Amino acid sequence: MGKNVVGEIAKAVVIEYDEAVRGKMTTLLRQIGFAIQEESSGQRGVALAQRAKPDLVVVGFGLPDIDGIETIRRVSANLDAYVLAVMDISEEIEVVLAFDAGADGYSPKPLREREFRARIDSFSRRQARINQMISDRQGSAVKVLSHGALRLDSSTWEVHLDGVPIVLTATEFALLHVLMQVPGRVRSKKELARRVSLDNDDLEHGYVSDSDVRSIEVHIANLRRKLGDSARSSLWIETVRGVGYRLVNDPGSY
């Protein structure tokens, strides 16, 4: 990747207690082109991330002070960065809690170098799409999607509901953007997982794992909560059982 959305070298903060694992992470990230800063505790890592304002924060679980979930929560509450949790994925509830705290993705622990790199590559592709969107809109009108009281501005990456700003993670924003493009159109979980993970050329046949597909449920649940929505009372996002999700076609009852 090498560059962030403004053409500078992309920055990453790695928060991991195990020195050997942290070394593997930083080596892989440097090979991709990131400038790295690292810390071995959650509290110091959060403080470092707040100072450095990185594009990517990697949080390894098993920290000696605050746990991974709390570290992610503090990072995501104060930064507009992609947050990757590196954790034991055999505990599914921990994965759900990590997404609920604000993680955008996860990679297994013990560290699997190939999968870790694949997750970073997914982040890099997303950043490349952002770069392309910025390039495409230069000299043209700002792209804004509106649906009832909901407004999404893809030029500023802002969402407003009834004029009030809604803070979304990068993944939540990407999901809402897809749903708002064609209100009422059903999007399967697999399609949504592809659209937040893959390049446009791979949308039809690109591989996404079962874990990626399941994670969409958690991201949609978080997105609904931020919109004042729920699965039982679908003001904005409706579940089509056995298929996927769609934006409610008529939000007039809001």
Side-chain angles (χ1 to χ4, degrees):
M1 182 185 85
K3 304 289 184 180
N4 63 15
V5 296
V6 293
E8 300 173 344
I9 298 297
K11 297 184 292 185
V13 166
V14 176
I15 307 172
E16 165 60 50
Y17 178 66
D18 187 300
E19 185 175 356
V21 174
R22 192 170 68 249
K24 287 181 181 179
M25 292 177 179
T26 57
T27 296
L28 289 168
L29 289 167
R30 285 195 179 102
Q31 289 173 353
I32 295 171
F34 282 89
I36 311 296
Q37 292 179 272
E38 55 188 271
E39 261 297 352
S40 59
S41 81
Q43 291 185 10
R44 292 198 304 271
V46 171
L48 172 61
Q50 289 175 348
R51 293 194 306 271
K53 295 181 171 52
D55 305 283
L56 168 70
V57 180
V58 179
V59 179
F61 279 41
L63 296 166
D65 47 1
I66 58 175
D67 63 17
I69 300 295
E70 181 60 24
T71 301
I72 290 170
R73 183 175 291 111
R74 295 185 188 184
V75 167
S76 62
N78 294 288
L79 290 172
D80 181 18
Y82 185 94
V83 181
L84 181 71
V86 182
M87 59 192 302
D88 179 2
I89 63 172
S90 64
E91 298 292 335
E92 190 166 349
I93 184 61
E94 287 291 299
V95 177
V96 172
L97 290 173
F99 281 125
D100 193 53
D104 293 287
Y106 66 88
S107 187
K109 198 173 190 180
L111 189 70
R112 303 174 193 169
E113 293 187 16
R114 182 175 298 178
E115 188 160 349
F116 178 80
R117 179 150 191 158
R119 298 297 183 184
I120 302 303
D121 286 343
S122 174
F123 161 75
S124 300
R125 288 193 296 269
R126 174 180 295 170
Q127 292 299 92
R129 290 199 297 274
I130 294 172
N131 282 338
Q132 188 61 52
M133 288 177 65
I134 292 173
S135 176
D136 289 346
R137 75 168 188 270
Q138 287 179 350
S140 63
V142 171
K143 181 69 182 260
V144 175
L145 297 176
S146 296
H147 187 65
L150 191 59
R151 184 178 182 275
L152 180 148
D153 189 332
S154 60
S155 67
T156 60
W157 292 79
E158 293 177 335
V159 174
H160 289 80
L161 177 57
D162 208 19
V164 178
I166 306 295
V167 179
L168 302 181
T169 67
T171 301
E172 292 161 2
F173 184 95
L175 288 172
L176 183 60
H177 188 264
V178 173
L179 293 172
M180 287 185 70
Q181 286 174 354
V182 186
R185 175 177 172 179
V186 180
R187 307 282 190 169
S188 71
K189 295 174 187 177
K190 183 168 285 188
E191 178 189 1
L192 291 170
R194 285 193 178 113
R195 286 186 174 273
V196 300
S197 308
L198 302 175
D199 292 318
N200 288 334
D201 293 342
D202 297 328
L203 289 180
E204 291 299 323
H205 305 292
Y207 173 75
V208 291
S209 69
D210 290 341
S211 297
D212 290 327
V213 175
R214 288 197 301 272
S215 74
I216 293 297
E217 299 176 4
V218 182
H219 290 303
I220 288 288
N222 289 337
L223 177 57
R224 277 173 160 159
R225 186 179 68 249
K226 292 179 180 181
L227 296 176
D229 208 346
S230 71
R232 292 183 177 181
S233 176
S234 301
L235 296 173
W236 297 105
I237 300 173
E238 181 180 5
T239 300
V240 180
R241 194 170 300 278
V243 183
Y245 305 98
R246 66 184 172 198
L247 201 66
V248 175
N249 207 24
D250 180 11
S253 60
Y254 171 74

